[in-house]
Amino acid sequence: MAKKPIKITEVALRDAHQSLIATRMTMDEMRPILPAMDEVGYYSVECWGGATFDSCIRFLDEDPWDRLRILRKEMPNTKLQMLFRGQNMLGYRHYADDAVEYFVQKSVANGIDILRIFDALNDPRNLETAIKAAIKEKAHVQGCISYTLSPVHNNEYFAKYAKTLEEMGAHSICIKDMAGLLTPYSTYELVKSLKETVSIPVDIHSHYTSGLASMSILKGIEAGADIIDTAISPLSLGTSHMPTESLVAALQGTDYDTGLDLKKLNVVREHFAKLREKYLASGQLSPKMLGVDANTLLYQVPGGMLSNLLKQLKDAGKEDQLDAVLQEIPRVRKDSGYPPLVTPTSQIVGTQAVFNVILGERYKMVTKEFKGLVHGDYGKTPAPISPEFTKQILGDEQPITCRPADLLEPEIEKLKAEASKYVMQEEDVLTYAMFPQVAPKFFEKRNNKLAGVDGDHVDFEGKSHPV
């Protein structure tokens, strides 16, 4: 018997396709393999949240709540996990506490067991409401460290933050390494430091972008990590994660043996291997996404952010300026208090760096979002921003120091009234709240299609769901 079996969180249904094909996997592509995935014995399957919500309504004409109910019905024995941006929910601004509470309640009611809750700035105040709400709904709270490197980010900083999350009620801690910055020995030291500081399980989530994830994860396991995020092999590597089967094989017969069966995983692998071929043939999956880019270690730019920057430069006819932008990003990051580069701060810092380079003068033009970052609208930055720089960006306006959501009035009743003409289920209010521009078009299409009750609309108890 393994002394310390490692638990596996499978990310194929969320982060793997978010990283490789811009979150375009459909429910029809997932559904046939869900019963086989349910038999594997994963610790959890990450299948919702992140960009899946936006993608479902913007590109796939799918109801994300329906997707969750189907996942719940087809995987009754597996914990379902989501990625949740704290006070941002799954949108791009801060929402009032009553909206966050309502979202958590509905997510759990429709089938979510584990909420991985993170904040782009690692500001614990932005996680308070989400954590309390998830505990109230008796869900598992996984508190997240957005991992990054800077003069202020070190193991002491991360351990202190992890302790704060544990004290706030988190049931486990996730090291969220979105850009693949973890190196083997730094992972060992970080996990060791966390295990000495908190008494709850530690999960490692690392992308393969820099080519280091497998080595880093193995050292992390040796240092005491409890849970590892992996992706089934056809959707692994590149900007995605280390392959599930490889880790299972590597740990077989050791003290860390996962106990998972490679034959059962092979059934899952075969399904996703066919999808991979389909994505490559259609051009949805670019071979570029599957390679290793060690540049990420120099600039800390996550894969998704890199493609975004390229597009912005292409649109401006300045593709040749990519190197200059990559060199500007760390400078903008330093000016703005070293935010980790993850949604939405990666877009904010990246876009500002693009403007600084293509206009030929730093901060000649400042985006509304960058002003917001300096103003404190997203929370407290890891390092203080200098008063001189604050004045340069904000003029005489003073930054806020309170929790940003304290300035927001309750908004759920107002949102219910605004969305009333589209709503066919209570959850629609939340879809509208997060994507007020995109949701109405989606609702119109869906509501026309659903003049009758479609057999696919099931709730998580398997009863037909009145849409």
Side-chain angles (χ1 to χ4, degrees):
M1 273 293 282
K3 285 187 194 154
K4 187 180 178 191
I6 292 296
K7 295 175 170 146
I8 300 285
T9 291
E10 173 60 66
V11 300
L13 303 182
R14 203 284 298 176
D15 204 2
H17 71 105
Q18 181 169 324
S19 301
L20 294 176
I21 58 159
T23 334
R24 297 296 199 277
M25 194 190 291
T26 65
M27 194 65 237
D28 288 346
E29 290 171 328
M30 292 175 195
R31 196 167 189 168
I33 198 60
L34 299 178
M37 289 180 77
D38 194 42
E39 281 178 28
V40 169
Y42 295 116
Y43 167 68
S44 66
V45 169
E46 193 202 46
C47 56
W48 210 61
T52 59
F53 211 97
D54 188 345
S55 207
C56 274
I57 66 167
R58 197 181 296 265
F59 304 113
L60 304 176
D61 277 335
E62 280 188 29
D63 185 333
W65 297 99
D66 242 8
R67 175 180 284 202
L68 177 53
R69 289 188 281 264
I70 293 167
L71 288 160
R72 179 72 288 164
K73 178 175 178 263
E74 300 287 355
M75 291 195 285
N77 307 304
T78 304
K79 289 193 187 102
L80 301 186
Q81 183 166 323
M82 76 172 291
L83 180 68
F84 191 64
R85 298 185 195 130
Q87 211 69 35
N88 281 35
M89 304 202 299
L90 301 177
Y92 303 102
R93 67 169 174 92
H94 277 209
Y95 295 86
D97 289 337
D98 61 343
V100 175
E101 286 158 2
Y102 194 50
F103 190 101
V104 170
Q105 183 209 327
K106 286 297 179 193
S107 301
V108 177
N110 282 282
I112 287 295
D113 300 293
I114 300 172
L115 286 97
R116 173 176 289 171
I117 306 174
F118 81 97
D119 177 63
L121 296 176
N122 290 325
D123 183 343
R125 301 172 307 169
N126 291 338
L127 305 181
E128 274 169 24
T129 303
I131 289 176
K132 278 186 191 144
I135 291 168
K136 187 181 171 200
E137 299 303 322
K138 302 190 168 39
H140 177 110
V141 173
Q142 189 170 79
C144 241
I145 293 167
S146 295
Y147 182 77
T148 187
L149 302 169
S150 84
V152 293
H153 291 91
N154 53 34
N155 289 351
E156 196 185 348
Y157 168 96
F158 292 128
K160 191 175 164 206
Y161 184 50
K163 189 68 188 162
T164 302
L165 294 173
E166 182 181 34
E167 285 164 357
M168 287 168 77
H171 303 106
S172 61
I173 296 290
C174 173
I175 303 165
K176 181 176 166 60
D177 175 25
M178 50 279 172
L181 300 174
L182 283 171
T183 61
Y185 294 98
S186 68
T187 309
Y188 186 88
E189 292 305 325
L190 174 58
V191 172
K192 203 159 153 285
S193 164
L194 293 179
K195 293 298 287 182
E196 285 163 3
T197 309
V198 297
S199 57
I200 51 180
V202 172
D203 183 317
I204 303 176
H205 172 97
S206 183
H207 288 253
Y208 222 93
T209 322
S210 62
L212 291 168
S214 294
M215 294 180 274
S216 301
I217 281 166
L218 202 53
K219 292 304 288 180
I221 288 169
E222 288 173 0
D226 304 273
I227 310 161
I228 305 296
D229 286 16
T230 60
I232 201 76
S233 56
L235 294 181
S236 69
L237 304 179
T239 49
S240 179
H241 301 257
M242 94 160 283
T244 305
E245 308 93 305
S246 307
L247 187 63
V248 169
L251 300 177
Q252 267 181 345
T254 71
D255 285 347
Y256 308 112
D257 197 322
T258 62
L260 299 190
D261 182 344
L262 284 168
K263 289 196 187 76
K264 285 184 179 172
L265 283 169
N266 194 41
V267 175
V268 179
R269 187 201 67 79
E270 282 175 353
H271 174 82
F272 286 105
K274 290 191 194 98
L275 283 182
R276 177 193 170 101
E277 291 309 312
K278 178 176 150 184
Y279 297 147
L280 281 166
S282 68
Q284 258 184 308
L285 175 56
S286 153
K288 264 191 195 149
M289 290 301 196
L290 299 169
V292 161
D293 185 359
N295 252 352
T296 188
L297 296 167
L298 297 176
Y299 306 120
Q300 301 201 31
V301 172
M305 181 180 170
L306 195 58
S307 44
N308 213 1
L309 291 175
L310 264 170
K311 187 178 180 324
Q312 288 179 345
L313 289 169
K314 211 176 196 169
D315 293 348
K318 305 267 187 174
E319 271 175 285
D320 56 334
Q321 302 271 33
L322 181 65
D323 274 348
V325 169
L326 287 173
Q327 283 163 30
E328 176 65 1
I329 285 169
R331 294 194 283 263
V332 173
R333 219 180 137 223
K334 181 183 178 188
D335 293 339
S336 56
Y338 293 110
L341 297 180
V342 65
T343 305
T345 46
S346 50
Q347 289 86 335
I348 296 170
V349 169
T351 303
Q352 189 57 53
V354 168
F355 279 127
N356 287 1
V357 168
I358 63 179
L359 296 174
E361 186 188 321
R362 306 185 75 223
Y363 307 110
K364 181 178 181 179
M365 185 193 148
V366 179
T367 67
K368 178 167 104 335
E369 291 77 13
F370 190 77
K371 271 187 183 148
L373 181 62
V374 176
H375 188 252
D377 299 347
Y378 295 90
K380 187 171 181 247
T381 53
I385 300 172
S386 80
E388 298 76 37
F389 186 72
T390 303
K391 187 157 178 53
Q392 183 187 344
I393 301 300
L394 300 180
D396 292 332
E397 203 182 338
Q398 287 305 304
I400 61 167
T401 53
C402 65
R403 180 183 77 118
D406 287 342
L407 303 173
L408 300 175
E409 293 293 324
E411 60 180 324
I412 206 75
E413 291 310 319
K414 179 173 147 281
L415 290 163
K416 280 180 180 172
E418 278 176 30
S420 59
K421 57 176 174 289
Y422 311 110
V423 168
M424 295 183 88
Q425 57 180 348
E426 289 178 352
E427 292 83 352
D428 287 346
V429 172
L430 291 158
T431 307
Y432 173 81
M434 292 184 292
F435 304 103
Q437 269 75 48
V438 183
K441 290 184 210 110
F442 164 74
F443 290 141
E444 217 163 290
K445 255 184 175 170
R446 180 202 63 182
N447 297 357
N448 291 340
K449 210 164 71 183
L450 293 180
V453 173
D454 182 323
D456 258 3
H457 291 254
V458 290
D459 69 16
F460 73 104
E461 291 169 332
K463 300 195 288 280
S464 74
H465 180 70
V467 292

